[in-house]
Amino acid sequence: MNGLRVIPTWRHGRERLYVCLPDGRNIAWYDREAARVNLLVQDREDDVMRALGPFITGPVTVGPPPVPTLALIHI
């Protein structure tokens, strides 16, 4: 057991599954609609994917969170 917890939430109108360390810090989240796992801690990718395994039903993209573009930034 790697001690990670998966917490379902709704954020910005999307369902996300956050992967948290035992101390509560987020290290990744899975956006089901986008089929993307966003890693905040690169060296825990294997642990994150094992924790999310029961929730992932198809192919996903894995990587760091996307960098916001000007179109996404509200000025």
Side-chain angles (χ1 to χ4, degrees):
M1 183 75 183
N2 58 24
L4 299 179
R5 295 183 307 148
V6 177
I7 313 248
T9 63
W10 283 89
R11 179 128 184 162
H12 304 293
R14 296 182 139 186
E15 183 181 11
R16 290 185 175 175
L17 297 172
Y18 281 88
V19 181
C20 302
L21 294 170
D23 66 5
R25 287 182 293 147
N26 295 329
I27 61 169
W29 74 87
Y30 172 46
D31 183 332
R32 288 183 179 204
E33 187 175 319
R36 180 174 173 81
V37 176
N38 297 283
L39 295 171
L40 300 174
V41 180
Q42 298 298 317
D43 62 343
R44 298 291 303 264
E45 180 177 349
D46 292 338
D47 294 333
V48 166
M49 295 309 290
R50 269 194 299 280
L52 288 172
F55 305 99
I56 295 175
T57 59
V60 297
T61 303
V62 179
V67 176
T69 64
L70 288 177
L72 297 174
I73 298 173
H74 300 285
I75 300 175

